[in-house]
Amino acid sequence: MVNRSLIIANQHYDDPAYPELPGAARDAAELQAVLADPDIAGFEVQVLRDGTAAQCRKAIETFFRGATGDDLLLLHISCHGQKDLHNRLYLVGTDTEKAYVASTGIDSTFISDQIEGSRSNKTVLMLDCCYSGAFSRGLRTRSAAESVDVREPFSGRGRVVITASTALQFSHESEAMSRAAAEPSVFTSAVVLGLRSGAADLDGDGWISIDDLYGYVHETVRRRAPNQTPTRSVASVQGALYLARNVAARPQHVPGDIREALRSKLPWQRIGALHELENLLGSWRPEVRDAARADLTALVSDPDPAVAKLAKQLWFSRGLGELPVEDERNLSRQPSVDRLRTRHAVGIDFGTTNSAIAVFVDDDVRVVLSAIGDRTMPSVAAVTENGNWIVGEEARRRATINPANTFSRVKLALGTEKRFRAFGRTYTPVGVAATILAELRSAAERFLGSTVRDVVITIPAHFDLIQREATVEAAALAGLNVMRLLNEPTAAALAYGANTETDQTLMVFDLGGGTLDVSVLEIGEGVVEVRASGGDNRLGGVDWDDRLVDHAVARFRGQHGIDLSTDQTAMARLREAAERAKIELSSRMSTEIVLPTICVGPDGPLDMELHITRAEFEELTRDLIDRCRTLIQRAVTDAYLTTAQLQQIALVGGATRMPAIVGLVEEITGRPPRREVIPDGVVLGATIQAGILRGHFKDTLLLDVSAATLGVADVNGRIVPIIERNTTAPTKRSMNFTTVVDDQRHIQVQLFEGESRLASRNRKVGVLELGGLTPQPRGAADIEVTVEMDVNRLVHMKVTDLESARTVHTSITLQSARAHEAARVNPAHAIVERPTDESESS
Ligand code: AMP
């Protein structure tokens, strides 16, 4: 299959009645350059400049006659167009005489006949000529006829005909600049620009289809020359027709032969390409995986149901999130510039206590204000009796009056069996998280005035597989597609200006409302590698609040003999007051907790009044600081470093504002920490990452490490590690196993996540079964188990019987992990590590 193009550009004319078209020559040169560019379109391009009518006819004839069935042919003609009295369209060669156009011009039906007579089913005809487009029946024309449609000469099979203007408009001539400043005409320059910049990739799939290009050109021309309307006169090509690659979207990461197969009109070739894509999705290079994913997106909506079905299966088996929504794809085909506006880079920091969403606009990151004007929104959702949701600040306030129906700390519950209950209904953590994410999404949509779909979401570096899956699932329920799950510390490092120029070792200490993340990052040669990530997802600012609450409750009990801890309303008020006091103690040496009528005692209402100093508060929370110290030291050790080797310590998370934390970090590392981006650091970084994926920034390659070991249980219930903790993701590792009993025909491979060498102490995340093994003595079979962790650290497993080359594979999903956790294992189907060849011979 070849992409071939013929460009005809007639600028000079013998007949003075045809004025010069100064843009035509440059049109041809620019279009030739962009079409021939192998990184963009890779066409074989032939150009005819200032051809006579006979030369033009000859060139067109030869062009179409030589075509094979698979060729994609693009004929672009830039010249005067003229109609005769019967509304028949002629294109003008240099020797065409205006008074005898029918005998000296190039008849449009001649071109149509050449297309019809060629073998190609994929022809694009672009006419940058006056009168070349369709015009509606009934409109008055310059000709005598009232109801003629110039689409007629062009109609036929396997083609798309796009014209610069409608019949009633001029194209070249109407563009003042085209004549006066000798610039390329509006239409062709829009074609060139759309292809060259990639801006014509309206659906953002990385490819510029003819539909994309037409949509883009239509809008661009209408904006620059409001009286000129490009028209798609005919569109009879089966399936999508891709002209070029979006250079801005990604470098060329899918090999040329696969790309060709992807565009093949034969479904079986596209299915073949699908299998190749499967391999590319497992590449260790994120850019290759992204490219393969973009191509898979196109196949998911393939016109052939069998191809689309297989593509969908691959999509789901790879855990690529929710499928692109049909409506969205239809929307993307509409020639609308609005569509471009929906492709903002959006980042979400989904926090335990507070969340934030930010967008990349005007070359900067803007944190979207919540409905009530705050930079963050409490990650709290309340449900009303009739099942309506209230989210954010209002829900947080309701916690005081309505604690039982108000759900907070939802992020900590993700991936657990915890259920939220209210009014006899039960809600999953994923469902509640989705309502919070949906609220963030709405805030961003209000801000942008357009839909938001693709986002980067941050997660704690130590989130396990199930928690990561749960995050993706919650996002999908909120109508969001997760482009990347980004480690919070990596996001923070980006926000603190991690760039491709400066190499450094950096610690990110992120103490939020409910989680502590301590990570050591090494940035070198444009790679940000999380050398180690630790922390505690049960340690956060609320623990400091709780200490104040406990202290106040104990005092109150001492003073009044009343236990407030059983009074939900009193406790909710007290928690709020304790948090306020904690925050005040970050900038003051003492504060009060004052709560009038906290309860009613035997002698009437009782108030709470508690004075507390910073020193007392720090004493109450000393053990929490000690836990932070231990976790910092552990992370440094895990990274095989000493604290002295840390060049920078970056603080993020609202609770790092506490002076005791700043003091602790200084004490351990001997350096003052960086604090400039508290508390927006994480959402800022998420949005920068989204900006990188959207091509707004030069790419900074971010490599994250696995948070926990992934291994397979052997016959003795021991774990054989496959991907060790702190391995850089994405990664793919294989190990060989074998059978444990003679004539074993069936194996069960169980994947666990966790650090214990005993399977029973780790979390089972997936099981794969393979039957039909050839009966042979135990230890003879050679079973390869491949575990792959993608860039989002989601996991896929493959088991292959190397003898028969039969393979089963699965993606670990929330459901699969849950289903397998308690599943009973048949000991007769166990496996054991296969000795390597060296150990066999030794
Ligand atoms: P984040 O999850 O990063 O928004 O952090 C929220 C936590 O930071 C909550 O526990 C807040 O109480 C706490 N926080 C916010 N501001 C301060 C402050 N000035 N001093 C101490 N803690 C704070």
Side-chain angles (χ1 to χ4, degrees):
M1 183 187 102
V2 197
N3 290 357
R4 296 198 297 124
S5 176
L6 170 64
I7 301 172
I8 294 180
N10 294 340
Q11 179 160 328
H12 302 101
Y13 300 88
D14 299 343
D15 187 338
Y18 291 120
E20 189 181 338
L21 291 179
R26 193 179 302 185
D27 282 359
E30 297 218 347
L31 187 62
Q32 179 182 19
V34 77
L35 286 178
D37 187 331
D39 288 337
I40 300 176
F43 274 76
E44 280 175 13
V45 190
Q46 185 195 343
V47 180
L48 174 64
R49 276 195 202 88
D50 287 342
T52 62
Q55 284 169 332
C56 292
R57 278 195 290 265
K58 183 80 195 150
I60 293 168
E61 211 175 10
T62 316
F63 180 65
F64 285 107
R65 200 193 302 136
T68 70
D70 278 341
D71 286 355
L72 168 62
L73 302 179
L74 193 158
L75 172 61
H76 181 278
I77 303 182
S78 178
C79 64
H80 282 292
Q82 195 187 331
K83 290 191 296 169
D84 67 9
L85 287 178
H86 309 289
N87 263 322
R88 204 171 164 122
L89 172 69
Y90 293 88
L91 302 174
V92 177
T94 51
D95 60 346
T96 302
E97 294 170 48
K98 193 160 189 175
Y100 302 99
V101 68
S103 53
T104 60
I106 308 155
D107 191 337
S108 50
T109 51
F110 164 79
I111 300 174
S112 189
D113 289 348
Q114 301 309 306
I115 301 175
E116 195 63 34
S118 86
R119 288 206 192 92
S120 170
N121 283 317
K122 287 177 285 181
T123 294
V124 176
L125 173 62
M126 289 188 194
L127 296 177
D128 193 353
C129 316
C130 296
Y131 301 126
S132 52
F135 68 99
S136 318
R137 286 171 189 274
L139 283 179
R140 293 204 73 78
T141 69
R142 289 180 184 188
S143 76
E146 284 223 359
S147 53
V148 180
D149 188 336
V150 291
R151 260 181 302 193
E152 279 160 18
F154 291 122
S155 57
R157 66 175 176 92
R159 65 186 78 178
V160 177
V161 180
I162 293 177
T163 61
S165 65
T166 69
L168 296 179
Q169 302 159 344
F170 298 100
S171 51
H172 264 295
E173 293 126 300
S174 70
E175 167 64 339
M177 276 195 294
S178 172
R179 274 167 175 246
E183 283 208 356
S185 65
V186 218
F187 174 81
T188 303
S189 66
V191 171
V192 169
L193 183 70
L195 294 174
R196 190 167 53 205
S197 67
D201 176 17
L202 295 194
D203 59 5
D205 66 353
W207 296 99
I208 299 172
S209 67
I210 188 67
D211 290 346
D212 280 344
L213 184 66
Y214 172 66
Y216 173 81
V217 168
H218 187 272
E219 284 299 317
T220 309
V221 171
R222 297 281 291 139
R223 249 183 301 135
R224 283 188 60 193
N227 291 326
Q228 188 175 330
T229 314
T231 307
R232 178 165 43 190
S233 306
V234 181
S236 57
V237 170
Q238 296 281 306
L241 205 159
Y242 294 96
L243 297 181
R245 192 171 82 69
N246 173 1
V247 270
R250 60 205 157 93
Q252 195 135 341
H253 294 304
V254 172
D257 52 336
I258 302 179
R259 283 199 341 265
E260 266 179 33
L262 283 167
R263 291 192 234 163
S264 161
K265 68 176 195 306
L266 301 170
W268 63 265
Q269 285 199 346
R270 299 201 295 278
I271 289 174
L274 199 61
H275 292 306
E276 297 297 336
L277 284 184
E278 181 171 7
N279 285 334
L280 295 175
L281 285 167
S283 164
W284 67 273
R285 288 166 57 205
E287 61 273 24
V288 175
R289 302 159 68 95
D290 287 349
R293 183 189 159 123
D295 286 332
L296 182 58
T297 312
L299 288 187
V300 160
S301 54
D302 196 279
D304 186 300
V307 181
K309 187 174 165 203
L310 284 169
K312 279 181 197 157
Q313 275 171 3
L314 178 58
W315 182 280
F316 286 121
S317 75
R318 284 292 171 156
L320 294 176
E322 202 195 351
L323 279 174
V325 176
E326 195 61 45
D327 287 347
E328 187 88 351
R329 272 184 271 125
N330 289 339
L331 178 72
S332 74
R333 296 212 180 96
Q334 286 167 15
S336 163
V337 173
D338 276 347
R339 169 64 190 157
L340 296 175
R341 284 198 217 112
T342 68
R343 297 179 32 74
H344 285 281
V346 180
I348 291 181
D349 168 13
F350 178 48
T352 306
T353 43
N354 296 304
S355 295
I357 188 164
V359 294
F360 192 81
V361 273
D362 298 336
D363 227 18
D364 207 350
V365 175
R366 302 252 187 93
V367 176
V368 175
L369 300 185
S370 72
I372 59 156
D374 289 338
R375 291 170 80 76
T376 60
M377 183 192 83
S379 312
V380 181
V383 67
T384 62
E385 194 160 6
N386 51 15
N388 291 333
W389 287 100
I390 297 161
V391 180
E393 186 54 37
E394 200 192 327
R396 196 182 70 88
R397 279 204 223 103
R398 278 185 169 233
T400 314
I401 26 170
N402 194 8
N405 310 323
T406 308
F407 312 139
S408 54
R409 306 181 69 160
V410 178
K411 179 166 124 173
L412 295 185
L414 280 178
T416 69
E417 290 308 310
K418 182 177 166 69
R419 293 292 175 266
F420 297 96
R421 290 191 173 81
F423 303 110
R425 290 185 292 265
T426 303
Y427 301 92
T428 62
V430 165
V432 182
T435 62
I436 295 170
L437 291 172
E439 180 67 26
L440 291 171
R441 177 188 177 177
S442 306
E445 289 182 341
R446 277 195 301 274
F447 176 79
L448 290 169
S450 60
T451 52
V452 166
R453 180 163 177 75
D454 298 330
V455 292
V456 169
I457 298 188
T458 58
I459 45 162
H462 52 72
F463 247 25
D464 68 18
L465 179 55
I466 306 304
Q467 290 167 306
R468 294 194 295 274
E469 286 288 354
T471 310
V472 173
E473 204 176 286
L477 277 177
L480 295 167
N481 170 47
V482 178
M483 292 195 288
R484 185 70 58 92
L485 287 178
L486 183 68
N487 273 348
E488 286 159 7
T490 310
L494 274 174
Y496 274 111
N499 58 38
T500 46
E501 275 93 51
T502 346
D503 293 1
Q504 55 177 311
T505 305
L506 170 87
M507 171 179 278
V508 177
F509 184 90
D510 180 357
L511 186 62
T515 53
L516 168 63
D517 242 321
V518 190
S519 309
V520 180
L521 311 183
E522 195 165 79
I523 302 167
E525 293 176 10
V527 177
V528 182
E529 190 180 346
V530 184
R531 283 279 300 264
S533 58
D536 188 338
N537 63 11
R538 298 273 165 189
L539 181 62
V542 284
D543 294 296
W544 274 258
D545 305 345
D546 288 349
R547 288 300 156 84
L548 279 179
V549 170
D550 293 347
H551 177 64
V553 168
R555 274 288 178 83
F556 199 81
R557 196 187 296 117
Q559 285 166 347
H560 305 286
I562 294 177
D563 182 9
L564 289 178
S565 64
T566 53
D567 179 343
Q568 273 199 349
T569 311
M571 287 303 279
R573 285 179 65 197
L574 185 53
R575 270 192 213 105
E576 208 175 290
E579 183 181 11
R580 237 183 354 255
K582 172 191 74 175
I583 290 173
E584 277 172 12
L585 287 171
S586 290
S587 51
R588 290 166 48 180
M589 297 312 284
S590 68
T591 188
E592 271 93 40
I593 293 178
V594 179
L595 293 167
T597 319
I598 185 83
C599 69
V600 180
D603 305 324
L606 290 169
D607 302 337
M608 159 142 337
E609 279 178 28
L610 178 71
H611 178 86
I612 181 138
T613 66
R614 188 189 285 174
E616 285 171 317
F617 174 57
E618 290 183 354
E619 190 51 43
L620 286 173
T621 53
R622 184 174 299 282
D623 64 314
L624 299 176
I625 291 289
D626 287 342
R627 276 167 71 187
C628 294
R629 181 183 288 107
T630 312
L631 292 164
I632 291 178
Q633 277 155 352
R634 187 181 299 164
V636 173
T637 316
D638 271 359
Y640 301 104
L641 293 174
T642 63
T643 46
Q645 288 170 292
L646 298 175
Q647 290 159 312
Q648 255 188 46
I649 298 95
L651 298 187
V652 272
T656 57
R657 287 198 179 105
M658 287 187 289
I661 295 289
V662 179
L664 169 74
V665 172
E666 257 178 8
E667 171 208 314
I668 299 181
T669 63
R671 286 194 182 79
R674 289 189 60 181
R675 310 172 60 193
E676 307 94 277
V677 296
I678 305 173
D680 292 335
V682 173
V683 74
L684 232 105
T687 313
I688 292 172
Q689 177 65 51
I692 291 170
L693 294 173
R694 282 276 184 256
H696 295 301
F697 295 94
K698 200 162 59 142
D699 207 336
T700 305
L701 182 61
L702 298 177
L703 295 182
D704 282 339
V705 295
S706 58
T709 301
L710 286 164
V712 163
D714 73 6
V715 63
N716 303 312
R718 294 192 174 277
I719 290 292
V720 180
I722 297 194
I723 296 180
E724 299 269 6
R725 176 169 172 241
N726 283 346
T727 303
T728 306
T731 185
K732 186 173 178 176
R733 301 269 164 90
S734 297
M735 287 202 60
N736 293 55
F737 292 81
T738 189
T739 46
V740 293
V741 291
D742 292 343
D743 298 335
Q744 183 175 335
R745 306 200 56 168
H746 194 105
I747 54 160
Q748 204 172 37
V749 181
Q750 307 173 65
L751 187 71
F752 287 81
E753 188 181 46
E755 299 321 305
S756 173
R757 296 293 152 186
L758 286 181
S760 55
R761 299 213 181 129
N762 291 332
R763 183 169 196 169
K764 197 192 294 178
V765 290
V767 174
L768 270 181
E769 311 221 5
L770 186 64
L773 304 182
T774 314
Q776 52 188 332
R778 72 192 154 109
D782 195 356
I783 313 286
E784 186 184 67
V785 176
T786 304
V787 178
E788 186 188 344
M789 180 175 280
D790 69 19
V791 74
N792 289 331
R793 291 181 296 138
L794 303 176
V795 171
H796 319 281
M797 177 166 65
K798 189 163 91 174
V799 175
T800 308
D801 170 17
L802 293 180
E803 197 173 72
S804 66
R806 279 182 322 108
T807 288
V808 277
H809 53 81
T810 184
S811 290
I812 309 304
T813 63
L814 201 50
Q815 284 77 6
S816 72
R818 277 205 195 113
H820 292 308
E821 210 160 13
R824 230 177 53 79
V825 182
N826 185 342
H829 296 162
I831 51 171
V832 71
E833 196 179 344
R834 191 172 204 268
T836 58
D837 289 343
E838 292 107 89
S839 51
E840 267 175 346
S841 58
S842 63

